[in-house]
Amino acid sequence: MAIDPNFDQNRERVGEEDGVAVWGPVEPPEKLGIHGTHVAVDYDICLADGACLENCPVDVFTWVDTPDHPVSELKVEPTNEDQCIDCMLCVDICPVDAIDVDASRQA
C-alpha cells in the first residue's frame, strides 16, 4: 500500500521530530506515521533501502533510527525538505511508494 497522497487532509499533525512535521497515528514502535509535509515519508511502509537518500541531488534525506519497527530499524527523514527541487526522483525510485512530493504543500 502506497503513501496516502492526501495525508495532510486525512491525518492529524501530531507533532514534530528534528524540525520535521509528523502526521499520525503514532504508536511506537509499530506505527510511526508520516514524516514531512512537502516531502513526506510514510515510516510505516518505508523499508530503508536507501535509494532516495543515495540518489537525491540536493540531499533532502538523512538516516534516523527507528528501533523495533517491524519493517526496518532505520528510516529516511526528509530533514532538508525545504531544499527539495521537485525532481520526483525519490518518488520514482522508492520500491514501496513510501514517498510523496507535492509542491502545493509547504513544510
Side-chain angles (χ1 to χ4, degrees):
M1 177 171 48
I3 187 172
D4 174 6
N6 299 310
F7 71 88
D8 58 325
Q9 297 162 8
N10 298 331
R11 294 181 177 221
E12 180 181 346
R13 183 175 170 160
V14 295
E16 215 172 81
E17 286 183 20
D18 300 318
V20 176
V22 178
W23 305 81
V26 174
E27 298 168 15
E30 293 84 17
K31 289 190 172 280
L32 301 177
I34 293 176
H35 289 231
T37 303
H38 175 71
V39 179
V41 179
D42 189 333
Y43 273 31
D44 298 328
I45 59 176
C46 173
L47 54 79
D49 75 334
C52 56
L53 184 136
E54 293 170 6
N55 289 286
C56 179
V58 292
D59 298 322
V60 166
F61 303 98
T62 58
W63 286 117
V64 296
D65 291 321
T66 55
D68 301 321
H69 189 268
V71 177
S72 67
E73 294 197 342
L74 282 175
K75 303 293 179 187
V76 289
E77 181 92 294
T79 308
N80 302 309
E81 67 181 315
D82 60 330
Q83 294 179 20
C84 180
I85 57 173
D86 300 329
C87 71
M88 308 301 276
L89 180 59
C90 59
V91 173
D92 294 339
I93 205 166
C94 182
V96 293
D97 298 323
I99 303 172
D100 187 53
V101 174
D102 188 334
S104 68
R105 289 191 310 254
Q106 293 302 315

